[in-house]
Amino acid sequence: MNHLPEPARVVQLPDGRHVYADQMPATFQAGPQVVHQHIHQAAPDRTVQRLALGSGVGAGTVAAGVYFGPLLVAALTAMAANIAFLAFLALVLGWGVHTVVKAVGGEAGTQAAKNMRKARRKRG
């Protein structure tokens, strides 16, 4: 009836260090890891690939989708940014032209605008 604790065991690692057995680093267990995952649980960028492979499409098509999918998104984003910048530029230029014409027009511009309004009323 020994009530004393077990003595700590010391182990020598392959690199020559000595450690206690309960403090040894975890061992690597190589082996196949099987994960059962449904298509609707996959990440969005993988769903199309899994559908393509499940429908019998070749791996080349899937690889092309993996490559050209993000490329297409980047191209569309760049085009949208360019269009937004051009729209902003047109707005600023239109405001600038309006302000300059309004400031430079003076009395002659105001009288010409009134004459044009009168001419339209007579025609229509």
Side-chain angles (χ1 to χ4, degrees), residues 39-106:
I39 287 178
H40 65 275
Q41 294 172 330
D45 60 337
R46 304 280 182 192
T47 303
V48 174
Q49 299 165 27
R50 290 178 187 212
L51 285 173
L53 286 174
S55 64
V57 176
T61 305
V62 174
V66 170
Y67 179 75
F68 289 113
L71 195 65
L72 177 64
V73 170
L76 291 175
T77 304
M79 285 191 285
N82 287 338
I83 291 171
F85 177 73
L86 290 176
F88 177 73
L89 187 64
L91 179 72
V92 169
L93 290 176
W95 173 79
V97 169
H98 169 75
T99 304
V100 168
V101 168
K102 188 175 165 184
V104 173

Side-chain angles (χ1 to χ4, degrees), residues 16-35:
R17 292 183 296 148
H18 290 84
V19 295
Y20 291 108
D22 58 348
Q23 296 176 356
M24 285 183 52
T27 59
F28 177 73
Q29 297 177 353
Q33 182 179 5
V34 178
V35 176

